[in-house]
């Protein structure tokens, strides 16, 4: 069993409402959440802190979620990454990112699905 308070989650989404709602759902069940508005800010946070899980929007300004994943170095181990998008995840995207993505989530993500996915990712 994981201690949710000790699990650091990064939520990156340019849609403030979705970002705030996602963070509020995760905080309500005990996770420590940092919110950022785009991929550039996500990389800045990832350089300063060690996150256990990152929930990244695929399409964001300045730097998208795909670029964030491709930029992360395997050492030290990057956080477990989940991609979220209102769009379908095509085969090309899945091939580009391969095993670097733990789970693909379709927005809007139902709260129970979000909580379960982050919990499963945090245990990895």
């Amino acid at each position: 069993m994981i201690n949710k308070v000790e699990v650091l989650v990064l939520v990156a989404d340019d849609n403030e409402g979705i970002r705030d709602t996602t963070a509020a759902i995760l905080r309500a069940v005990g996770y420590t959440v940092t919110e950022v508005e785009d991929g550039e800010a996500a990389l800045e946070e990832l350089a300063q802190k060690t996150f256990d899980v990152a929930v990244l929007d695929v399409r964001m300004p300045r730097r998208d979620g795909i670029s964030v994943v491709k930029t992360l170095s395997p050492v030290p181990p990057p956080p477990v990454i989940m991609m979220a998008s209102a769009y379908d995840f095509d085969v090309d995207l899945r091939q580009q990112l391969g095993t670097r993505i733990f789970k693909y989530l379709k927005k809007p993500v139902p709260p129970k699905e979000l909580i379960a996915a982050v919990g499963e990712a945090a245990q990895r």
Side-chain angles (χ1 to χ4, degrees):
M1 187 87 176
I2 60 170
N3 181 350
K4 292 179 184 175
V5 175
E6 296 175 3
V7 175
L8 298 178
V9 180
L10 176 65
V11 174
D13 199 307
D14 60 315
N15 182 309
E16 184 178 8
I18 291 174
R19 183 177 66 242
D20 290 348
T21 300
T22 300
I25 290 166
L26 295 174
R27 284 185 183 114
V29 295
Y31 292 109
T32 301
V33 181
T34 298
E35 302 172 58
V36 295
E37 68 282 351
D38 61 41
E40 198 63 41
L43 285 173
E44 290 170 12
E45 286 293 329
L46 288 162
Q48 295 175 19
K49 295 179 195 169
T50 302
F51 289 90
D52 302 295
V53 179
V55 181
L56 305 174
D57 185 10
V58 171
R59 296 182 181 178
M60 294 182 284
R62 295 199 312 154
R63 189 180 289 255
D64 63 24
I66 297 163
S67 175
V68 170
V69 172
K70 288 180 176 181
T71 302
L72 293 176
S73 169
V75 180
V80 177
I81 306 288
M82 295 189 299
M83 299 295 285
S85 178
Y87 306 95
D88 288 329
F89 295 100
D90 60 24
V91 174
D92 184 50
L93 174 64
R94 290 175 188 262
Q95 289 174 343
Q96 284 181 51
L97 300 176
T99 59
R100 292 189 254 181
I101 304 301
F102 172 69
K103 191 169 287 257
Y104 294 90
L105 303 170
K106 177 86 171 175
K107 292 194 289 186
V109 182
K112 286 183 181 181
E113 182 181 343
L114 175 66
I115 293 165
V118 171
E120 188 179 343
Q123 290 182 6
R124 288 183 147 244

